[in-house]
Amino acid sequence: MGILEPSPLPGAVSVSGRRNLLAVGLYRVACGVILFGVALLLDLKQMRVAAPYSFVAAAALYFAYGLVALWWVRRDPFPLPLPALLTALLSGDILFIALMTVASGGTADPLPILLFPQLAASGWLLRTRTALFHAALATVVLLGLDIWGLLVGHFTAAQPFQTGLIGFGYFAIIGVSAALGTYAKASEALAAQRGIDVANLEQVNRLIIQDMQDGVLVVDQNGTVRSYNTQITRLLGRYGQVRSGIRLAEFSAALDACWQQWRKDGQEPSAPLKVEAGQRLFRARLVQIGSGLGGGTLIYLEDLGRAQAEAQQMKLAAMGRLTASIAHEVRNPLSAINHAAQLLEEDGTVAAESRRLLTMIRNNAKRIDHIVGEVLQLTPRNRQQPEVIVLAEAIAALIEEIVHAERIPPACIALEIPADLSVVFDRGQLNQIVWNLVRNAWQHCRKTERSIRIVARPGYMGDAVIFELSDDGPGVPADVRGQVFEPFFTTRAGGTGLGLYVARELADANRAALDLLPKEPGAHFRITLRRSATHPVVHPGGTEAT
């Protein structure tokens, strides 16, 4: 039989193998209890048992042996290798059954049938020639008892034939068990491989979903969030607040209303969706998944502003190439004008009235240079150098520089940033974003103590840092909130309308999110930054390492 060819045994018994050994151990104990109970409760002499007391002693020893064997198979690891353990256990079974057979004087012929489960376990677990040896050992011992019984006159000549049939059954049960064991082992290996494939596929799907530009949300029929990707929390401005098991209505009332309407009429919303956290517009696509009670809804959330921004970026890229060359040409004569005005100011022959005109020339030259600099920033930014930044230290140093350059009283800016917050961002671009926001806030605030407030805190699940900057000014009118991040849009006379646009572009380039929150009073901006898992360590030489 090919299924009984020698094969290397595993170093450890599988869980199903241990269950089989435990079941056989319990069966052995049950047989010992039944045999010992029968020996005590029934009159063995009337049952023509030749040696009743010997039979009772053998049954009691078999019961005790069953308890010891059960303790053996429950140990981890086993006291012996699996083939040796099965051989020892079966040898004990054969020994005590032979003792009871001899004590009965030939009246306990059915006792050898009790060995079938033990032999079946050998065939199932070993699937080697050792299992056949177990069947041969049991058969040889029983035939030896028959020969001894014939010699002493206890057995008839038909007894060896019956024992031969039982021995054939032993070999048959070994073969069937080995075949079933081989099939079960192949099934377990196939199931394990399928489990690995499913786990790998699930991980691949999760990675693909996480990297999608669209937000993905899975909702069951009861409106409970079952799965999501981080992009949807970024788009909705709810970084870290969503979790599996939360109600969709708690996460986003606008998205829940859209889902409820879709369930009623089955039509996707044609109008763009506007959520509570910001002014961005989205397109929601809803797909039914599953069926029955286990069905749910797959929600895709596409940022319409991203498509508009990509189209706009293409226009700005073309314009940027043109303006870059123009800007360089403008800056050359502008530098000459500024230098000439400076020389005239230093010349003592210029009248006082002319000095006022020179000051106007220099101020306007500086303003033109600032506008040219902002126009140059419209060129694509694809060279980020992200690093781990300790937020409190970086912002404190930046604010010192800003208040000096913009002539802002230090008391007008309040900082509330924990010292242990670190983010991953391009340092220069983060400075540019914060500088633009502070300059914008200073132009609109009341310019009193703590008029500008900068606050940072960890995200709700610790995977982000929420950085907020607010002022006490009149705020942004509701009818223009959706336009504040558009290029060249400004409500201030003399403004270029590029500061907030450039700030959001830099945030998007660093996988962050800049939004205007509908909070009052004043303007309230929020940047959702990626939190760093490590904290920079400052070496004695002054360098930082993570």
Side-chain angles (χ1 to χ4, degrees), residues 395-471:
I395 298 301
L398 177 63
I399 294 301
E400 290 183 6
E401 185 178 350
I402 292 176
V403 297
H404 177 73
E406 301 289 340
R407 298 179 181 178
I408 302 174
C412 293
I413 302 179
L415 290 180
E416 300 177 19
I417 304 177
D420 60 342
L421 289 183
S422 299
V423 298
V424 179
F425 214 94
D426 183 290
R427 186 180 294 270
Q429 295 180 357
L430 178 62
N431 291 347
Q432 187 174 352
I433 293 173
V434 177
W435 197 306
N436 287 350
L437 293 178
V438 172
R439 182 191 296 125
N440 182 76
W442 179 246
Q443 291 167 353
H444 296 90
C445 70
R446 297 179 181 177
K447 298 178 175 56
T448 60
E449 186 174 351
R450 299 177 65 87
S451 284
I452 302 175
R453 188 165 174 260
I454 300 176
V455 179
R457 67 179 186 276
Y460 289 93
M461 297 179 65
D463 52 358
V465 170
I466 307 300
F467 181 92
E468 294 181 346
L469 188 147
S470 59
D471 61 67

Side-chain angles (χ1 to χ4, degrees), residues 209 215-219 225-229 232-233 236 242 246 248 251-252 255 285 289 297-301:
I209 290 174
V216 179
L217 194 69
V218 178
V219 182
V225 176
R226 295 301 178 190
S227 182
Y228 61 94
N229 68 345
I232 197 166
T233 61
L236 298 183
V242 67
I246 191 176
L248 182 60
F251 178 59
S252 172
L255 201 57
R285 293 184 294 129
I289 56 174
T297 306
L298 183 63
I299 303 176
Y300 295 94
L301 204 62

Side-chain angles (χ1 to χ4, degrees), residues 7-252:
S7 60
L9 294 173
V13 182
S14 64
V15 176
S16 60
R18 285 189 172 274
R19 286 200 298 265
N20 290 337
L21 284 176
L22 182 60
V24 173
L26 293 174
Y27 165 79
R28 186 180 290 108
V29 172
C31 289
V33 170
I34 293 173
L35 291 173
F36 186 54
V38 168
L40 291 178
L41 298 177
L42 300 181
D43 189 354
L44 297 181
K45 291 183 179 180
Q46 291 185 358
M47 297 176 63
R48 298 180 182 179
V49 174
Y53 296 107
S54 298
F55 188 91
V56 171
L61 290 175
Y62 187 52
F63 171 62
Y65 167 72
L67 294 177
V68 173
L70 181 62
W71 174 73
W72 268 18
V73 298
R74 288 175 63 87
R75 291 183 60 185
D76 189 14
F78 290 143
L80 297 172
L82 183 60
L85 178 65
L86 290 175
T87 302
L89 293 176
L90 183 64
S91 299
D93 292 327
I94 295 173
L95 173 64
F96 289 108
I97 287 177
L99 291 176
M100 286 184 284
T101 301
V102 172
S104 68
T107 60
D109 293 342
L111 286 179
I113 299 177
L114 300 178
L115 294 176
F116 278 109
Q118 291 91 322
L119 292 171
S122 295
W124 181 283
L125 295 173
L126 297 180
R127 299 184 294 276
T128 63
R129 290 194 178 97
T130 304
L132 293 178
F133 168 73
H134 291 170
L137 177 63
T139 303
V140 168
V141 171
L142 293 179
L143 287 176
L145 291 176
D146 289 346
I147 294 173
W148 172 81
L150 287 174
L151 293 177
V152 300
H154 289 169
F155 297 158
T156 62
Q159 184 63 33
F161 177 73
Q162 297 177 3
T163 302
L165 291 178
I166 294 177
F168 174 77
Y170 288 166
F171 284 95
I173 196 67
I174 288 289
V176 173
S177 299
L180 293 176
T182 302
Y183 176 76
K185 181 181 179 181
S187 300
E188 288 179 359
L190 181 61
Q193 185 59 45
R194 291 290 183 268
I196 294 173
D197 293 341
V198 170
N200 291 338
L201 182 60
E202 181 181 358
Q203 185 176 5
V204 169
N205 290 338
R206 187 183 301 112
L207 293 174
I208 292 175
I209 290 174
Q210 292 297 337
D211 288 339
M212 289 180 62
Q213 293 294 329
D214 294 342
V216 179
L217 194 69
V218 178
V219 182
D220 64 14
Q221 290 189 346
N222 299 319
T224 303
V225 176
R226 295 301 178 190
S227 182
Y228 61 94
N229 68 345
T230 55
Q231 182 69 0
I232 197 166
T233 61
R234 175 183 176 275
L235 292 176
L236 298 183
R238 302 291 298 275
Y239 217 107
Q241 295 185 25
V242 67
R243 64 184 185 278
S244 296
I246 191 176
R247 301 284 299 179
L248 182 60
E250 300 176 23
F251 178 59
S252 172

Side-chain angles (χ1 to χ4, degrees), residues 461-531:
M461 297 179 65
D463 52 358
V465 170
I466 307 300
F467 181 92
E468 294 181 346
L469 188 147
S470 59
D471 61 67
D472 59 359
V476 182
D479 56 340
V480 298
R481 283 182 176 270
Q483 300 174 269
V484 294
F485 292 108
E486 293 181 1
F488 307 111
F489 175 81
T490 180
T491 58
R492 181 175 59 87
T496 62
L498 294 175
L500 293 179
Y501 169 77
V502 171
R504 171 171 275 191
E505 289 293 300
L506 292 176
D508 289 342
N510 285 270
R511 297 173 58 189
L514 172 60
D515 293 291
L516 173 63
L517 302 184
K519 292 184 178 181
E520 295 180 355
H524 198 117
F525 291 91
R526 171 186 289 175
I527 310 175
T528 304
L529 304 164
R530 289 183 295 154
R531 187 172 185 178

